[in-house]
C-alpha cells in the first residue's frame, strides 16, 4: 500500500502495539515521522519490537551502509517502549508519568483489547468485569488524562494544545453476538464513550475523538482464538493451512469458504489485513479528516449491512 502521511514530530501512543492491528498502526505513524511509544504488558516483547523497528527504520532512513540518504531524508523518529497492564491503575499512572516526561501526546490510540468466547449462561461477573476493565476502562483511564491535556490552552498560542483520540472498537459493537456478548458490549460501550467525549471538544478546532470499527482482521489474537471453532465448529484459524492441505484446496479457498458460509454479508469476503485497518486510523487522525469528529467509522470490509 503506498499512501503517504505526514506525522513529523508528533508523539503517538498506540496501546497494545507489539502485534496485530496496534503494531500496524504504530508502524504507519513511525513511517510518517512520528515519535512512537510501543506498549503492551510484556517487557520482553516490547524490547524485541523496539529493536526490530529501530533496525527496519534505520535501514529505511539510510543509516545502513547499503543505502545512504541525505541528512534531510533520514528518519529522526524516537521509538520508546513501556510495559503497563492497563487494567491496573498503578501501571496506568506509571505510563502516564513516562509520557509526560517525553512531551505532549498528540495521538492516543486506545487499541489494546482482549476477546474470548464464552456462552452467556456461563459468563460470570468476573468475566464481565475483567473484559470491561481490559477493553473499556483501559481507554477511559488514559483518555481521562490525555484528552484533558489536549484541551488545555497553550500559554503562548492561547489555543488548545491539540490532539486526536481513537477508540479501536469493532463492527461487533454494532451487532450483539451471544457467543461473546461480554466482548461485543465492551465494543458498543466504546462507541457511546467516543460520542460523549467528542462533546467536550465542541468549538475546539484541533482536538477530535473518534472510534474505528474494524471487521475480522487477521492478527495473532484472531489466529489464536477459539472463536471460529466454538461458534461455527470451524477448524481453528491457526490450522487454516492444515485444513487446506487436508481438503486439497488452497488457503485462499479455505478462507473464502469460511466467509461464504459464515459471513455472507461481508463485501470483502476475506480477512482484512492489519495494515488496511491501520490506514483508516491514520486517515482519521490526519488533517484530511478534520470534518470527522465523534464518529463511529467503520473499516470492516462492508460486513455491516445497515446504513
Ligand atoms: N482482529 C480482529 O478481527 C478485530 C476486529 C475488530 C476489532 N478488533 C479490536 O482491535 C484491537 C486489537 O485487536 P488484535 O486482533 O490486533 O489483538 P491482538 O493481536 O490480540 O493484540 C492485542 C494487544 O493488546 C494488548 N493488551 C491486551 N490486554 C491488555 C492489557 N490489559 N493491558 C495492556 N495491553 C493489553 C496485547 O498485549 P499483551 O501481549 O500484553 O497481551 C496486544 O499487544 C482490539 O481492541 C480488538 O477488540 C480486532
Amino acid at each position: 500500500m503506498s499512501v503517504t502521511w505526514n506525522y513529523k514530530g508528533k508523539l503517538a501512543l498506540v496501546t497494545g502495539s507489539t502485534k496485530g492491528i496496534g503494531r500496524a498502526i504504530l508502524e504507519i505513524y513511525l513511517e510518517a515521522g512520528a515519535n512512537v511509544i510501543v506498549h503492551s504488558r510484556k517487557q520482553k516483547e516490547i524490547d524485541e519490537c523496539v529493536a526490530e523497528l529501530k533496525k527496519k527504520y534505520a535501514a529505511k532512513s539510510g543509516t545502513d551502509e547499503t543505502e545512504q540518504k541525505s541528512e534531510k531524508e533520514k528518519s529522526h523518529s524516537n521509538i520508546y517502549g513501556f510495559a503497563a497492564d492497563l487494567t491496573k491503575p498503578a501501571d496506568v499512572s506509571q505510563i502516564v508519568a513516562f509520557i509526560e516526561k517525553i512531551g505532549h501526546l498528540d495521538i492516543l490510540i486506545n487499541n489494546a483489547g482482549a476477546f474470548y468466547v464464552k456462552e452467556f449462561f456461563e459468563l460470570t461477573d468476573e468475566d464481565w468485569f475483567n473484559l470491561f476493565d481490559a477493553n473499556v476502562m483501559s481507554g477511559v483511564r488514559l483518555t481521562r488524562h490525555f484528552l484533558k491535556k489536549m484541551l488545555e490552552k497553550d500559554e503562548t498560542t492561547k489555543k488548545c494544545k491539540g490532539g486526536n483520540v481513537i477508540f479501536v472498537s469493532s463492527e461487533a459493537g454494532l451487532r450483539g453476538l451471544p457467543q461473546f456478548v461480554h466482548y461485543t458490549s465492551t465494543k458498543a460501550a466504546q462507541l457511546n464513550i467516543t460520542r460523549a467525549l467528542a462533546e467536550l471538544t465542541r468549538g475546539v478546532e484541533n482536538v477530535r475523538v473518534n472510534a474505528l470499527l474494524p471487521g475480522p482482521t487477521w492478527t495473532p489474537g484472531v489466529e489464536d482464538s477459539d472463536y471460529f471453532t466454538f461458534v461455527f465448529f470451524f477448524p481453528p484459524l491457526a490450522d487454516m493451512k492444515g485444513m487446506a492441505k487436508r481438503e486439497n484446496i488452497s488457503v485462499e479457498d479455505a478462507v473464502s469458504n469460511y466467509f461464504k458460509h459464515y459471513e455472507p454479508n461481508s463485501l470483502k469476503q476475506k480477512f482484512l489485513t492489519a495494515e488496511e485497518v491501520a490506514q483508516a486510523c491514520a486517515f482519521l487522525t490526519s488533517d484530511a479528516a478534520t470534518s470527522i469528529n465523534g464518529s463511529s467509522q467503520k473499516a470492516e470490509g462492508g460486513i455491516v449491512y445497515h446504513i
Side-chain angles (χ1 to χ4, degrees):
M1 220 175 277
S2 60
V3 185
T4 310
W5 302 105
N6 184 359
Y7 282 100
K8 215 167 191 169
K10 301 284 184 195
L11 179 61
L13 167 65
V14 183
T15 64
S17 46
T18 47
K19 55 189 169 197
I21 291 172
R23 166 89 179 241
I25 294 174
L26 183 105
E27 287 211 37
I28 287 198
Y29 288 126
L30 184 55
E31 205 154 342
N35 300 310
V36 295
I37 301 141
V38 178
H39 160 265
S40 79
R41 287 169 294 191
K42 298 169 187 144
Q43 191 63 53
K44 190 169 170 280
E45 287 186 14
I46 292 173
D47 292 343
E48 285 165 5
C49 181
V50 169
E52 275 172 36
L53 293 174
K54 280 190 173 159
K55 201 170 164 203
K56 185 170 171 185
Y57 288 92
K60 282 209 170 178
S61 63
T63 50
D64 67 346
E65 285 166 9
T66 53
E67 190 198 348
Q68 290 295 331
K69 286 192 179 168
S70 72
E71 190 60 23
K72 210 173 143 201
E73 284 175 300
K74 284 181 189 172
S75 159
H76 292 285
S77 297
N78 292 312
I79 306 170
Y80 306 92
F82 203 92
D85 183 339
L86 301 178
T87 65
K88 296 185 176 149
D91 279 26
V92 175
S93 300
Q94 282 175 9
I95 192 170
V96 164
F98 174 76
I99 294 169
E100 284 301 324
K101 276 191 212 144
I102 304 173
H104 177 69
L105 189 74
D106 301 286
I107 299 163
L108 169 61
I109 310 294
N110 291 311
N111 164 78
F115 42 92
Y116 59 92
V117 290
K118 201 165 178 184
E119 281 179 30
F120 172 68
F121 296 114
E122 302 298 323
L123 285 172
T124 61
D125 285 5
E126 210 184 2
D127 284 313
W128 280 92
F129 285 129
N130 285 346
L131 226 53
F132 265 80
D133 218 357
N135 295 358
V136 180
M137 290 311 296
S138 52
V140 166
R141 291 182 180 112
L142 288 169
T143 308
R144 186 160 50 206
H145 179 85
F146 288 113
L147 179 59
K148 199 170 181 190
K149 289 275 168 186
M150 291 171 186
L151 290 167
E152 261 174 24
K153 290 262 163 64
D154 181 287
E155 283 184 9
T156 323
T157 65
K158 305 289 177 217
K159 280 184 172 178
C160 290
K161 289 180 182 162
N164 268 277
V165 178
I166 299 286
F167 284 87
V168 179
S169 171
S170 168
E171 47 81 24
L174 297 179
R175 45 175 191 159
L177 297 168
Q179 49 276 18
F180 54 175
V181 59
H182 61 326
Y183 170 73
T184 58
S185 53
T186 63
K187 295 287 137 180
Q190 287 179 310
L191 305 182
N192 194 288
I193 291 166
T194 296
R195 180 63 218 185
L197 298 189
E199 288 294 321
L200 303 176
T201 70
R202 187 176 298 277
V204 176
E205 281 204 0
N206 59 354
V207 183
R208 294 182 289 120
V209 184
N210 286 294
L212 181 68
L213 285 64
T217 310
W218 193 284
T219 65
V222 163
E223 193 169 334
D224 295 342
S225 151
D226 52 356
Y227 175 79
F228 300 88
T229 322
F230 185 93
V231 180
F232 305 122
F233 306 107
F234 199 77
L237 288 190
D239 188 38
M240 196 64 94
K241 282 185 190 142
M243 185 184 77
K245 201 170 174 190
R246 285 193 299 278
E247 297 191 2
N248 200 19
I249 55 174
S250 65
V251 176
E252 288 74 25
D253 283 347
V255 170
S256 159
N257 285 346
Y258 164 74
F259 274 89
K260 210 179 286 170
H261 291 299
Y262 302 112
E263 294 289 8
N265 276 353
S266 161
L267 301 177
K268 186 98 173 166
Q269 285 294 298
K270 57 180 173 181
F271 286 94
L272 299 164
T273 64
E275 203 204 335
E276 281 178 294
V277 175
Q279 289 290 358
C281 185
F283 164 70
L284 270 186
T285 59
S286 77
D287 286 348
T290 50
S291 63
I292 304 175
N293 193 8
S295 101
S296 295
Q297 180 62 56
K298 290 181 278 176
E300 33 62 272
I303 218 165
V304 178
Y305 186 73
H306 62 258
I307 344 179

